[in-house]
Amino acid sequence: MQKKKINAASKGLSPAKQAHTSRATQLLQQALALHQTGKLLEAEAIYQQILLIDAKHFDALQFLGMIKRSTGELQQALDLLSLAASINPAHAIIHASLGNVLLDLKCHADAIASYDRFLSAKPDFAEVLNNKANALSALGREAEAMLCYEQALRQQPDFPDAYFNRGNLYLDMRRYALALNDYEQVLRVNATHFQAWNNRGNALLKLERLPEARQSYQQGLSIAPDNAELHACLANAYKITGQLNEAVEHYAKVLQLTTSGFPRQNAALQLAILHYVFGNPANVDALLQVAKDMLGNALIKDKGSLIYCVFMLKIQAWWQSFRQQASLPQAQGILYVIGESHMLSAHNLILGYRGQHLQCNGLWIEGCTQWQIGKSETNHYQQLMTQYLQAIPVSSSVLITIGEIDCRIDSGILKASKKSTESTGSTGFAIVSLEHRVYDTIAAFLDFIATQAQQRQFKLIISGVPAYHMNVSGHTEGELQEFGQFLSLFNTSLKQQVLMRGMDFLDVFAMTDHGGGKAGQQWHIDDHHLRPDGILEAFSHYLIAS
């Protein structure tokens, strides 16, 4: 901020008016000196005095608005700066300041309009170009935002904020290598930018460079050891590689560092799942009481966490009721259950298999799909699957429950098949039919499992995918009919290929299908998962031996 020299004497003013103007000028110089040295409360008090003398004093409105923004009083900042802009619309800087407050308030279109008024006078001002790009990015206007970031960086090639923000946009666009490059540009300028270390870790995680991702988070924590986001990201990196004790340590740190909000709720949820997997039920209830505050919050966009939270609350309630009504038989061995969230329905159950009572021991691969397991490129899902299969004792019984995420109405194989048909239907290239896509996905998945289990003498059971039990609003009868047919096709192909390979098949689709691929009310615990007693029922009546 530069001090402004103001001439209080003005031709034609009355003596009283001249005195007021002179007094305001003196006060402004005092306020600016305090403002520049960071004494904001004292400066604010003097700006208020000036406005008592002249309610439309441009400089007092402008600088008081800036203080209000810095203290988070955004509506007051907006009112003050809007009034200042109406008094002197030719003053370029006021529009940049107003744009910043509008950006803070998430009034992105209005912020862009304010920035444009500034840029019409100063088109090459890097900081405002960067802020305009942020507003454009928030509105999903990615191409325009990219142009703004590039223009800002042409004007100021060592501008870390522009690199950081562009990296965030690349991350959102799933252009992870470009995001990584931008974060590294930030760190070349400022190696202590812990948020860049965090987001660099996120890009590396997406690029399946997991050890480097963990190192990036750890480097960030060496700079900001009490940053909850870094602890949460490092916990996630440990979790998806099966280092669950380390994950627990860092999720617990998030709980210590936060008192409210989604980061705390999600850390509690992850800890609840991990303690459930570890067999520490006493810890689960208290954690879920923290986690459940995320439910009903329309601002939370992480649908996966919301689904897990509802599921875990219902699983806990089921077990509490079950333990009051039934006693578990004595286990004679272990049934290892490898899968994504669906393995949690089986975890800790004691069920009958091949003449023995076996207790289910769940091994979690969050978000895993058959498509990912069968990919030619190595990924962390495959690595964790291999790690689990190699650690399980020879000749063990193993249930693998993966495939439901491949089989959703708005994602997975069905969506990919439609997208492929739409994008290649007029190009002259052969279109892979849905039947072939299903067959190939299952074959690659089972080939991987068979290869990793080779010579381990496992008794392998592959679970099918249940009939759908979702909220059907928003879907037409034709879409639901198509989806039901797809689920039948998937399970039929899976059963045939499983049995052909000498594995057993758990036909939960036959158990849950009440016609057309739609489930009844009996066995689902929520929109996606079976109740634990549904698993018991499936093993009792719907297990098909090879």
Side-chain angles (χ1 to χ4, degrees):
M1 188 193 316
Q2 293 182 349
K3 287 189 179 181
K4 300 191 70 174
K5 215 170 178 184
I6 299 173
N7 184 4
S10 183
K11 190 175 179 179
L13 293 180
S14 68
K17 183 66 174 177
Q18 287 188 30
H20 285 157
T21 303
S22 178
R23 177 60 178 157
T25 301
Q26 293 171 3
L27 289 171
L28 182 63
Q29 299 302 331
Q30 295 174 30
L32 287 172
L34 291 165
H35 197 157
Q36 289 172 327
T37 56
K39 297 178 179 178
L40 300 186
L41 287 175
E42 294 92 329
E44 178 180 344
I46 297 175
Y47 291 137
Q48 296 283 13
Q49 289 182 51
I50 296 170
L51 292 174
L52 289 174
I53 296 169
D54 179 2
K56 293 187 176 182
H57 192 288
F58 174 81
D59 292 298
L61 290 167
Q62 176 184 210
F63 296 130
L64 182 57
M66 291 168 64
I67 288 177
K68 292 296 184 183
R69 181 190 176 222
S70 71
T71 57
E73 299 169 272
L74 296 180
Q75 187 57 53
Q76 291 184 52
L78 179 63
D79 294 341
L80 290 160
L81 293 170
S82 297
L83 179 55
S86 70
I87 292 167
N88 188 1
H91 192 282
I93 292 176
I94 193 66
H95 298 294
S97 298
L98 183 57
N100 292 341
V101 175
L102 290 164
L103 186 62
D104 293 341
L105 288 166
K106 303 188 186 307
C107 300
H108 299 115
D110 291 337
I112 291 166
S114 285
Y115 291 138
D116 282 341
R117 294 192 71 174
F118 174 91
L119 292 167
S120 66
K122 299 178 181 292
D124 296 329
F125 201 93
E127 184 174 342
V128 176
L129 286 165
N130 172 71
N131 292 348
K132 179 185 174 183
N134 292 344
L136 288 165
S137 177
L139 291 174
R141 294 160 62 177
E142 295 168 349
E144 295 170 85
M146 283 296 173
L147 288 174
C148 272
Y149 288 132
E150 289 165 10
Q151 189 177 350
L153 288 166
R154 280 196 299 271
Q155 299 305 316
Q156 189 176 329
D158 61 346
F159 189 9
D161 285 356
Y163 281 117
F164 180 74
N165 293 325
R166 189 175 70 173
N168 293 342
L169 179 54
Y170 277 136
L171 202 62
D172 290 341
M173 296 169 67
R174 301 184 181 182
R175 301 175 71 178
Y176 303 123
L178 291 171
L180 177 62
N181 183 65
D182 273 356
Y183 296 134
E184 291 182 343
Q185 290 282 5
V186 175
L187 294 167
R188 288 188 188 101
V189 177
N190 179 10
T192 63
H193 196 304
F194 66 86
Q195 292 165 310
W197 285 111
N198 183 83
N199 292 9
R200 177 179 179 270
N202 293 341
L204 287 163
L205 203 68
K206 294 295 186 180
L207 291 166
E208 292 288 343
R209 294 162 58 178
L210 273 64
E212 294 172 83
R214 289 195 298 270
Q215 290 169 6
S216 197
Y217 297 135
Q218 288 162 346
Q219 184 64 38
L221 284 170
S222 73
I223 299 161
D226 291 334
N227 183 267
E229 184 179 4
L230 277 160
H231 281 287
C233 289
L234 182 55
N236 181 60
Y238 279 128
K239 178 184 67 178
I240 67 175
T241 54
Q243 296 170 274
L244 302 186
N245 289 321
E246 292 85 350
V248 166
E249 176 188 344
H250 288 280
Y251 282 129
K253 189 67 175 177
V254 176
L255 281 184
Q256 292 174 18
L257 293 170
T258 56
T259 57
S260 62
F262 179 72
R264 175 177 175 80
Q265 295 154 9
N266 193 52
L269 172 62
Q270 300 302 323
L271 282 170
I273 297 169
L274 290 171
H275 280 293
Y276 182 76
V277 170
F278 288 157
N280 300 327
N283 297 327
V284 176
D285 283 332
L287 289 163
L288 288 177
Q289 290 305 307
V290 176
K292 72 178 184 179
D293 287 343
M294 72 172 69
L295 302 178
N297 185 343
L299 297 177
I300 294 176
K301 297 180 181 179
D302 188 339
K303 292 183 180 179
S305 291
L306 296 173
I307 290 169
Y308 263 109
C309 189
V310 170
F311 180 35
M312 286 301 301
L313 286 165
K314 291 186 175 182
I315 281 280
Q316 279 296 95
W318 184 90
W319 273 107
Q320 289 169 0
S321 175
F322 180 77
R323 289 190 182 100
Q324 293 173 1
Q325 300 173 21
S327 58
L328 295 172
Q330 184 69 35
Q332 299 164 290
I334 295 174
L335 173 63
Y336 295 93
V337 186
I338 306 176
E340 28 70 61
S341 58
H342 288 260
M343 72 86 190
L344 295 170
S345 294
H347 183 58
N348 286 327
L349 283 175
I350 297 178
L351 48 76
Y353 178 61
R354 296 200 176 194
Q356 286 188 306
H357 287 116
L358 303 180
Q359 181 159 25
C360 295
N361 182 1
L363 300 168
W364 186 27
I365 310 180
E366 184 181 13
C368 188
T369 65
Q370 290 191 6
W371 177 77
Q372 288 155 335
I373 293 294
K375 284 182 72 173
S376 57
E377 303 88 357
T378 302
N379 56 67
H380 71 271
Y381 301 101
Q382 295 171 344
Q383 291 170 340
L384 192 51
M385 175 67 77
T386 300
Q387 178 181 319
Y388 284 151
L389 288 172
Q390 295 303 311
I392 291 171
V394 172
S395 301
S396 294
S397 299
V398 181
L399 168 65
I400 297 180
T401 173
I402 292 171
E404 189 272 339
I405 303 175
D406 297 274
C407 296
R408 294 186 179 175
I409 195 168
D410 54 358
S411 63
I413 296 171
L414 188 59
K415 182 178 180 180
S417 182
K418 289 181 178 180
K419 185 176 181 180
S420 175
T421 301
E422 290 168 1
S423 62
T424 63
S426 60
T427 65
F429 293 105
I431 300 171
V432 179
S433 70
L434 179 60
E435 290 81 0
H436 281 97
R437 192 178 294 271
V438 165
Y439 183 92
D440 290 346
T441 300
I442 293 169
F445 162 69
L446 293 175
D447 285 347
F448 182 91
I449 298 298
T451 299
Q452 299 306 313
Q454 193 173 20
Q455 299 179 346
R456 303 287 294 172
Q457 300 177 337
F458 292 143
K459 294 180 279 291
L460 285 170
I461 313 157
I462 306 296
S463 175
V465 172
Y468 70 82
H469 184 69
M470 61 186 184
N471 183 348
V472 298
S473 61
H475 298 288
T476 66
E477 284 297 322
E479 289 171 335
L480 294 172
Q481 182 179 7
E482 175 190 52
F483 182 46
Q485 291 169 348
F486 162 68
L487 288 174
S488 178
L489 167 67
F490 184 90
N491 280 283
T492 298
S493 182
L494 181 60
K495 177 169 64 175
Q496 291 171 348
Q497 294 191 60
V498 164
L499 297 176
M500 182 180 67
R501 284 171 169 79
M503 306 171 185
D504 293 350
F505 183 66
L506 194 65
D507 198 349
V508 295
F509 181 75
M511 181 182 77
T512 53
D513 181 26
H514 278 222
K518 182 178 181 180
Q521 303 296 315
Q522 188 171 6
W523 297 119
H524 275 79
I525 200 167
D526 62 13
D527 287 352
H528 301 276
H529 304 92
L530 296 179
R531 294 205 318 262
D533 52 335
I535 306 297
L536 295 173
E537 173 71 9
F539 267 86
S540 295
H541 298 104
Y542 294 90
L543 180 67
I544 303 173
S546 59

